[in-house]
Amino acid sequence: MTTHPSMKVPIARTGLTEDEIQSVLVPLRSGWLVQGPKVREFEQAWSSFTGADHSIAVTSCTSALHMSLAALGFGPGDEAIVPAFTWISTANVVEHLGGRVVFADIDLSTFNIDPAGIESLITPRTKAILPVHLFGLSADMHVINEIAQKNNLWVVEDAACGFGSTFHGRHVGTLGNTGCFSFHPRKAITTGEGGMITTNDSLLAESLRRLRDHGAAMSDLQRHLGPKPYLLADHPDAGYNQRMTDLQAALGVAQMHRADAIVAERRQLAERYDLAFSELNWLQTPKVSLGCSHGYQSYPCLFEPELLSTALKTSDQALLGQIKERRNAWMETLQQKGISTRPATHAVHMLSFYRDKYHLNPEQFPAAQAANDCSVSLPLFHGMSSEEQTYVIDIVRGSKA
Ligand SMILES: *Cc1c(COP(=O)(O)O)cnc(C)c1O
């Protein structure tokens, strides 16, 4: 066991620099607080980083997903295919628009939607697939786009965790009809709350800009800079108010100045963990699919992967329960040492709203259930010190015989 003095290592820390914090004062002093010049600058920075033709800033990834489906024309009675293991809002936006969620199981080795299971879920009412690039690893977009094309479906990428994640050289969020990013503090770039929609479709971009801004044909900034600022815009749509503020965007712009360094630092931290845990057969570190680079929004591991795979193969719920118990006890051990861990995320089909509405059992999506019960994310964030990481490594390596 370790002889380190004890430390507290959080699961994530925002790590804003003093300059980034100061950047918020610019809109506060200029007096332009809501969507204005800073939002436009953040959108331009986002487009140049991701290579997307258009970026549209909104209030969260959840609103990005919601606006995307609404702009595409997704509506009551339509079905969307959603991985069973993701943050709940990927599914919620389908409900918000009166649609039906059709869950697909995941591939436990990537935590992402298993493309092999998608086609059998398609019905005449299916309109969209919502692949999630979970924890910063791209879903298999070749297969997903092929299925979508063949069946005339929209692809809305949940790229909430996808900052710095690429698929065959292209940044995630530029591979479907739209990509949706999150700036929640658990994500690599944060604006407190906040989100971004990326798309290469100009017409769709235009309707997304209107939809987030009360359906207005012209933004306030365009009107103020135009020849007749005293005339109000027309409203061709009954839109929403999903505008990002300029305070948030200023914070976003400031972080984008070191976007590449943030991605590089997170990859380095992950590499050090990968190496340090490579001989632990009871802990499976995150895989990187061929042709992908991982953005490491987090560092999701699987606990007792070999036993888990036996439990899955034999549908042994009792064994799964035992692994889960031991995982929880292990998380408690780390908590007592000051190290925060979390289940990687939740299986949405096991949450009571979806379980009850669609009469679902945990075992219906066994890989998602196994991920729910036996995953553990370890602390990883840019700004994590070498001492903090050494502490986590030593405690983890010494924590199980
Ligand atoms: C964080 C997250 C969301 C929600 O993002 P918000 O900006 O908080 O709305 C959605 N999907 C996934 C996969 C996430 O990780």
Side-chain angles (χ1 to χ4, degrees):
M1 277 303 286
T2 175
T3 54
H4 287 279
S6 86
M7 288 177 88
K8 279 219 183 312
V9 187
I11 187 78
R13 192 163 61 215
T14 53
L16 296 169
T17 67
E18 194 50 36
D19 281 353
E20 287 158 8
I21 291 167
Q22 293 285 332
S23 72
V24 179
L25 297 178
V26 174
L28 283 173
R29 294 214 163 98
S30 81
W32 196 302
L33 306 186
V34 295
Q35 180 191 301
K38 280 293 170 189
V39 164
R40 198 175 52 184
E41 205 183 326
F42 189 24
E43 291 173 341
Q44 283 162 354
W46 198 260
S47 288
S48 78
F49 184 77
T50 58
D53 288 348
H54 309 278
S55 296
I56 299 107
V58 289
T59 53
S60 68
C61 179
T62 305
S63 60
L65 293 163
H66 184 181
M67 296 300 99
S68 293
L69 285 179
L72 286 163
F74 187 90
D78 291 345
E79 293 177 1
I81 296 171
V82 174
F85 190 62
T86 179
W87 184 248
I88 189 170
S89 59
T90 322
N92 284 349
V93 295
V94 175
E95 297 289 324
H96 296 160
L97 289 163
R100 283 186 67 79
V101 176
V102 177
F103 288 111
D105 207 358
I106 58 159
D107 176 345
L108 200 51
S109 70
T110 61
F111 295 112
N112 283 328
I113 192 166
D114 182 355
I118 294 177
E119 276 195 293
S120 64
L121 301 171
I122 295 174
T123 76
R125 318 205 81 165
T126 310
K127 291 288 172 63
I129 309 176
L130 275 64
V132 182
H133 309 301
L134 212 50
F135 315 125
L137 179 64
S138 178
D140 188 343
M141 294 305 291
H142 282 155
V143 180
I144 291 166
N145 279 338
E146 210 176 276
I147 295 170
Q149 240 160 35
K150 205 165 83 189
N151 295 278
N152 203 19
L153 308 177
W154 297 308
V155 175
V156 172
E157 302 173 64
D158 182 339
C161 311
F163 172 75
S165 313
T166 64
F167 180 78
H168 294 271
R170 290 174 65 187
H171 200 284
V172 299
T174 64
L175 302 147
N177 294 88
T178 72
C180 302
F181 294 85
S182 172
F183 304 121
H184 180 275
R186 273 299 299 277
K187 311 296 158 52
I189 300 287
T190 185
T191 60
E193 299 282 3
M196 192 73 81
I197 310 170
T198 45
T199 183
N200 294 333
D201 177 336
S202 313
L203 282 179
L204 191 60
E206 229 174 89
S207 49
L208 286 163
R209 289 207 168 88
R210 277 201 307 274
L211 266 192
R212 71 159 166 195
D213 186 18
H214 303 290
M218 188 191 284
S219 74
D220 287 347
L221 185 65
Q222 285 170 320
R223 185 162 58 80
H224 279 247
L225 297 177
K228 292 183 178 170
Y230 49 83
L231 293 182
L232 298 181
D234 184 30
H235 289 247
D237 297 311
Y240 302 82
N241 181 356
Q242 299 287 5
R243 291 175 309 208
M244 177 181 274
T245 66
D246 257 29
L247 280 71
Q248 293 168 308
L251 200 54
V253 167
Q255 288 162 85
M256 289 309 284
H257 292 145
R258 58 177 177 126
D260 290 326
I262 288 172
V263 176
E265 186 177 342
R266 300 179 81 96
R267 290 207 183 117
Q268 264 167 22
L269 289 163
E271 254 175 57
R272 187 170 169 215
Y273 273 153
D274 289 348
L275 208 66
F277 302 143
S278 60
E279 80 274 27
L280 304 182
N281 62 2
W282 52 270
L283 194 71
Q284 183 179 298
T285 56
K287 296 251 169 81
V288 184
S289 318
L290 214 64
C292 294
S293 55
H294 206 307
Y296 295 104
Q297 175 268 336
S298 57
Y299 191 79
C301 300
L302 271 182
F303 191 74
E304 300 187 353
E306 281 162 27
L307 270 184
L308 191 56
S309 126
T310 307
L312 272 175
K313 269 187 218 128
T314 56
S315 304
D316 188 339
Q317 290 291 316
L319 180 56
L320 181 66
Q322 290 157 17
I323 302 167
K324 180 184 184 180
E325 292 277 300
R326 284 195 295 271
R327 178 204 64 168
N328 290 353
W330 186 62
M331 291 169 83
E332 176 61 30
T333 303
L334 294 189
Q335 184 69 32
Q336 284 179 10
K337 298 279 186 188
I339 297 170
S340 292
T341 63
R342 298 283 183 275
T345 187
H346 48 205
V348 181
H349 75 289
M350 293 166 69
L351 302 172
S352 52
F353 176 85
Y354 290 98
R355 186 193 62 207
D356 296 349
K357 175 165 181 180
Y358 295 100
H359 311 290
L360 301 168
N361 300 313
E363 309 92 80
Q364 262 170 281
F365 304 97
Q369 183 197 18
N372 182 83
D373 290 353
C374 304
S375 62
V376 187
S377 283
L378 296 176
L380 188 150
F381 45 91
H382 57 277
M384 185 178 199
S385 72
S386 162
E387 292 73 26
E388 284 174 317
Q389 197 177 20
T390 302
Y391 181 68
V392 175
I393 288 170
D394 289 351
I395 297 289
V396 166
R397 284 161 57 111
S399 63
K400 208 160 173 283

